[in-house]
Amino acid sequence: MPVLVVDDYKTMVRIIRNLLKQIGFEDVDEASDGVEALSKLKERQYGLVISDWNMEPMTGYELLKQVRDDSALNALPFIMVTAEAKSENVIAAKKAGVNNYIVKPFNAQTLKSKIETVFEG
């Protein structure tokens, strides 16, 4: 299953890519912001998006809202990654239709259980 990792911080992309590989996801693409992610989502069918919240010019939250507003993409599983566990962010992301939420730092086991929760639900 192809996974799109969206983060403007290259090191974080590399970490998530390595964690995904540890739990069996080999087909991983990356985008450095929401704008690039949207164009990739239109070019290729992904099974999962893992996106950072804080990015410029388009945040992960804005990306999530655009994905949910697009009839071709609105069922796409979407996991938000953030360094902040602010409850208002979690609530906003849930309202916008996020499937799951991961707070940095996290390990392969956390990532695996979050992904499993998304696909079991």
Side-chain angles (χ1 to χ4, degrees):
M1 174 180 72
V3 178
L4 181 62
V5 175
V6 190
D7 200 316
D8 54 358
Y9 188 48
K10 285 281 180 223
T11 305
M12 198 62 212
V13 171
R14 204 165 49 242
I15 291 166
I16 295 173
R17 183 187 283 276
N18 288 337
L19 293 175
L20 284 166
K21 195 167 274 184
Q22 285 174 40
I23 58 176
F25 292 89
E26 298 286 336
D27 190 353
V28 180
D29 286 350
E30 59 189 70
S32 59
D33 62 58
V35 177
E36 186 185 345
L38 273 178
S39 73
K40 289 197 173 197
L41 288 168
K42 285 175 173 43
E43 290 164 17
R44 183 173 184 203
Q45 189 91 40
Y46 290 94
L48 175 65
V49 174
I50 299 174
S51 175
D52 187 37
W53 183 295
N54 296 313
M55 296 179 292
E56 296 292 334
M58 185 194 288
T59 66
Y61 179 65
E62 289 163 345
L63 172 63
L64 171 65
K65 291 204 296 196
Q66 293 216 18
V67 166
R68 290 298 175 248
D69 287 343
D70 185 323
S71 60
L73 300 172
N74 64 10
L76 182 64
F78 199 109
I79 296 177
M80 190 77 75
V81 178
T82 182
E84 299 145 37
K86 285 194 281 200
S87 60
E88 62 265 27
N89 285 9
V90 177
I91 292 163
K94 288 254 186 254
K95 278 188 180 155
V98 79
N99 296 91
N100 220 324
Y101 206 87
I102 303 177
V103 179
K104 297 175 192 170
F106 57 92
N107 59 23
Q109 194 52 52
T110 303
L111 184 60
K112 185 174 196 273
S113 70
K114 296 282 185 175
I115 292 171
E116 283 170 355
T117 303
V118 166
F119 289 102
E120 284 162 9

